[in-house]
């Protein structure tokens, strides 16, 4: 008889499980025993169980035994033999399905909220049958949570990629001196897939091509994190076989053949929930605390990286009220120093807020994009930073740039075409977003970052 993959809860298993959930509700750990609440609670235990998997369990649908084991661990139970059974009567008890080979990085993030729809959309795109590889890109500004989203996706759906999940740091050398792209692919093939490359293959291209050919059967997920130029990975590191699924994270907007998912800031409710989970005490629950928590999320523009770093900073200083923290941040606005506040640094040796996805800190995350802008585009960005928050009319930018060119010719002559190109670059790097036909919106932290890049002399000029 063919083995059936997966187990279902027995009647006694259901009773034990819901009894444990009832204790969690009574203690205030969760508000109700549903998929969403239990999935979020699982993150606090560093035992991530997806909402979809929990819903399957609650509907008595078959799931892998190790998924059920993790859910029982979440609610504080050991999984007994009597708690589960295989759907086919007398079916032998197979070994748990082994996890496909992967090198998914450990993020260090225990709280992940507000991205369920994006995860579903991403999985739908990557699951579409295709005749040839069609990369999918998570695109958005620095700090928006692209890498974290990719990690969560890889963790959640790793079992669907029997050929493995290969994580590649796309920048040639990242902050921790990871190996170049080709070396990472070859290393993964050798270490995780046990592929021995014959000596006759001498060039890097030949070795990578051999790895693609000998890759074990099954769907494969290749994740290129933080792609700076699409040409860095295409075509050399995109295999031709359609069973390879390619996911990119990038700050830039990419056109065909890449399918793009734009990652935006969190909704305010999700921002507040994330902040509350990170602070982990009652400072966000009092009337004043809730008010100032909303102020903080508004100040940070609901940017996940900003909220993560601020939440850890507050958690590390229980005596600091959220109101005091917000007041300190607002006081720094006039000093053009907001992104450089200690709370937003990413140095793990000094800041306990450090995680994989926050390793650079907020200012450094913006700096990576700033370095890609030419001088003319940087000047336009500094001008935009002078505008009040809210939609920015582009004709106002044109007028401001033309007047400054007349008064300060050392900044360069006014060139409408150059200004249009600068606007295109700012859009390309997700630094400004179209609001309507002639207006653009600017994230509040991006605005403060632009302001922080102006010298004292420029600040007087542009004022």
């Amino acid at each position: 008889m063919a083995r059936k993959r997966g187990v279902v809860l027995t009647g006694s298993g259901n009773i034990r499980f819901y009894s444990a959930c009832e204790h969690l509700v009574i203690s205030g750990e969760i508000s109700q025993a549903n998929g969403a609440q239990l999935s979020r609670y699982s993150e606090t235990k560093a035992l991530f169980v997806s909402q979809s998997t929990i819903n399957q369990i609650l509907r008595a649908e078959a799931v892998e035994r190790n998924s059920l084991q993790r859910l029982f661990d979440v609610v504080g139970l050991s999984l007994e033999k009597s708690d589960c059974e295989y759907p086919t009567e007398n079916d032998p008890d197979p070994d748990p399905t082994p996890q496909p080979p992967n090198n998914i990085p450990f993020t260090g993030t225990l709280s992940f909220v507000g991205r369920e729809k994006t995860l579903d959309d991403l999985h739908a795109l990557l699951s579409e049958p295709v005749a040839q590889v069609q990369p999918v890109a998570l695109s958005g500004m620095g700090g928006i949570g692209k890498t974290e989203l990719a990690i969560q996706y890889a963790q959640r759906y790793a079992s669907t990629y029997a050929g493995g999940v290969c994580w590649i740091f796309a920048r040639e050398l990242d902050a921790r001196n990871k190996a170049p792209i080709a070396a990472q692919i070859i290393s993964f093939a050798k270490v995780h897939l046990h592929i021995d490359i014959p000596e006759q293959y001498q060039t890097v291209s030949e070795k990578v091509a051999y790895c693609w050919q000998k890759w074990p059967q099954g769907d494969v997920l290749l994740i290129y994190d933080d792609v700076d130029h699409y040409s860095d990975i295409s075509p050399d590191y995109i295999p031709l076989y359609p069973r390879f699924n390619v996911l990119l994270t990038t700050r830039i907007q990419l056109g065909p053949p890449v399918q793009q998912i734009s990652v935006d800031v969190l909704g305010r409710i999700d921002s507040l929930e994330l902040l509350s989970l990170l602070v982990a005490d009652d400072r966000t629950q009092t009337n004043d605390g809730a008010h100032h928590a909303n102020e903080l999320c508004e100040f940070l523009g609901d940017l996940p990286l900003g909220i993560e770093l601020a939440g850890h900073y507050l958690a590390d200083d229980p005596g600091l009220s959220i109101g005091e923290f917000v007041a300190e941040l607002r006081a720094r606005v006039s000093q053009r120093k907001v992104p450089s506040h200690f709370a937003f640094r990413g140095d793990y040796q000094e800041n306990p807020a450090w995680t994989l996805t926050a390793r650079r800190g907020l200012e450094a995350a913006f700096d990576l994009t700033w370095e890609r802008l030419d001088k003319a585009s940087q000047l336009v960005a500094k001008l935009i930073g002078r505008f009040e928050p809210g939609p920015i009319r582009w004709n106002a930018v044109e007028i401001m740039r033309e007047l400054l060119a007349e008064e300060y010719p050392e900044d360069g002559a006014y060139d409408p075409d150059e200004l249009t190109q600068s606007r295109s670059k700012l859009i390309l790097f997700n630094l400004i977003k179209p609001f309507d036909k002639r207006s653009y919106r600017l994230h509040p932290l991006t605005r403060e970052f632009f302001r922080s890049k102006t010298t004292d002399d420029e600040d007087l000029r542009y004022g």
Side-chain angles (χ1 to χ4, degrees):
M1 182 179 294
R3 289 184 175 183
K4 302 281 287 184
R5 284 187 64 192
V7 295
V8 295
L9 273 177
T10 61
S12 59
N14 259 304
I15 292 172
R16 291 187 70 220
F17 175 71
Y18 278 106
S19 176
C21 288
E22 186 178 349
H23 284 294
L24 291 176
V25 172
I26 292 172
S27 65
E29 300 287 335
I30 58 175
S31 59
Q32 51 184 317
N34 60 26
Q37 288 284 322
L38 288 167
S39 179
R40 289 171 181 170
Y41 182 65
S42 74
E43 296 172 28
T44 68
K45 300 292 184 182
L47 292 163
F48 181 78
V49 186
S50 72
Q51 181 178 340
S52 58
T53 298
I54 296 174
N55 287 338
Q56 283 181 275
I57 294 171
L58 299 182
R59 291 193 299 261
E61 297 176 4
V63 298
E64 293 179 359
R65 186 187 176 94
N66 59 354
S67 295
L68 187 57
Q69 176 70 67
R70 289 207 314 278
L71 183 57
F72 267 55
D73 289 341
V74 168
V75 298
L77 294 175
S78 59
L79 185 64
E80 307 292 343
K81 255 197 167 182
S82 59
D83 293 328
C84 60
E85 62 186 3
Y86 291 88
T88 302
E89 192 176 352
N90 299 323
D91 205 8
D93 186 355
D95 294 329
T97 304
Q99 187 81 341
N102 72 81
N103 63 340
I104 304 167
F106 174 71
T107 169
T109 299
L110 299 180
S111 304
F112 184 73
V113 299
R115 298 296 197 195
E116 287 298 323
K117 184 180 184 306
T118 308
L119 285 171
D120 290 343
D121 291 345
L122 176 57
H123 189 55
L125 274 180
L126 288 170
S127 301
E128 287 180 358
V130 293
Q132 61 183 20
V133 176
Q134 276 193 303
V136 177
L138 295 171
S139 172
M141 65 180 287
I144 205 75
K146 304 178 294 295
T147 295
E148 186 64 48
L149 189 57
I151 290 173
Q152 296 293 335
Y153 175 80
Q155 290 176 339
R156 179 175 297 195
Y157 292 103
S159 62
T160 67
Y161 295 99
V165 178
C166 177
W167 186 282
I168 300 155
F169 292 91
R171 288 181 180 271
E172 186 174 0
L173 291 176
D174 80 346
R176 293 182 297 164
N177 292 322
K178 289 289 183 180
I181 291 174
Q184 292 179 70
I185 295 170
I186 294 168
S187 174
F188 183 89
K190 288 181 176 179
V191 174
H192 296 276
L193 307 177
H194 310 296
I195 294 175
D196 291 323
I197 302 174
E199 293 182 2
Q200 68 203 63
Y201 298 101
Q202 295 294 317
T203 69
V204 170
S205 297
E206 288 175 338
K207 291 178 180 179
V208 170
Y210 184 84
C211 292
W212 298 148
Q213 291 171 11
K214 297 299 181 181
W215 209 281
Q217 290 303 304
D219 286 345
V220 180
L221 179 62
L222 302 176
I223 302 177
Y224 293 93
D225 181 40
D226 205 3
V227 172
D228 206 21
H229 301 274
Y230 185 56
S231 59
D232 289 342
I233 62 169
S234 177
D236 294 344
Y237 306 124
I238 295 183
L240 300 176
Y241 314 105
R243 68 189 181 94
F244 285 84
N245 300 270
V246 177
L247 174 61
L248 322 175
T249 72
T250 179
R251 295 159 188 270
I252 58 178
Q253 297 190 26
L254 300 171
V258 178
Q259 302 179 84
Q260 182 167 283
I261 294 179
S262 293
V263 183
D264 209 340
V265 296
L266 293 172
R268 181 57 51 81
I269 292 175
D270 291 322
S271 295
L272 290 168
E273 181 180 356
L274 176 59
L275 182 65
S276 180
L277 287 170
L278 292 167
V279 174
D281 58 31
D282 62 357
R283 276 177 288 177
T284 62
Q285 307 304 318
T286 65
N287 287 337
D288 282 348
H291 170 73
H292 291 306
N294 189 68
E295 274 191 317
L296 178 58
C297 291
E298 181 178 4
F299 183 87
L300 297 172
D302 300 299
L303 188 72
L305 176 58
I307 293 169
E308 180 187 347
L309 292 169
H312 281 294
Y313 185 75
L314 286 163
D316 191 54
D317 188 354
L320 178 65
S321 75
I322 299 176
E324 290 170 332
F325 184 45
V326 173
E328 183 181 347
L329 293 177
R330 292 198 184 283
R332 296 171 70 89
V333 169
S334 61
Q335 304 172 33
R336 306 193 307 278
K337 291 182 178 178
V338 172
S340 62
H341 188 281
F342 174 75
F344 301 134
R345 295 176 191 165
D347 186 344
Y348 70 95
Q349 292 179 333
E350 297 178 8
N351 188 353
W354 184 86
T355 65
L356 171 67
T357 52
R359 65 185 182 274
R360 298 189 185 103
L362 192 57
E363 186 175 18
F366 283 118
D367 265 328
L368 286 172
T369 305
W370 183 259
E371 292 165 3
R372 292 286 309 278
L373 299 177
D374 55 59
K375 188 175 180 181
S377 299
Q378 289 179 349
L379 174 60
V380 174
K382 292 175 184 179
L383 296 181
I384 290 175
R386 302 302 307 181
F387 283 85
E388 291 299 315
I392 298 168
R393 297 289 293 177
W394 192 255
N395 63 344
V397 180
E398 293 171 334
I399 292 169
M400 189 175 182
R401 179 68 186 93
E402 188 172 10
L403 290 173
L404 283 171
E406 293 176 3
E407 191 165 353
Y408 302 102
E410 63 269 25
D411 286 339
Y414 174 68
D415 183 342
D417 291 339
E418 183 179 69
L419 190 60
T420 299
Q421 290 173 5
S422 294
R423 179 181 61 188
S424 297
K425 284 196 174 181
L426 294 175
I427 294 172
L428 176 69
F429 288 106
N430 289 290
L431 293 171
I432 61 174
K433 289 183 176 291
F435 180 76
D436 58 29
K437 192 173 181 180
R438 291 290 292 170
S439 298
Y440 298 85
R441 59 188 176 94
L442 181 67
H443 189 277
L445 286 181
T446 307
R447 174 179 180 267
E448 298 307 331
F449 176 75
F450 287 167
R451 287 170 58 84
S452 75
K453 287 297 182 182
T454 60
T455 64
D456 291 340
D457 180 56
E458 288 172 333
D459 191 52
L460 290 172
R461 272 195 259 169
Y462 305 154

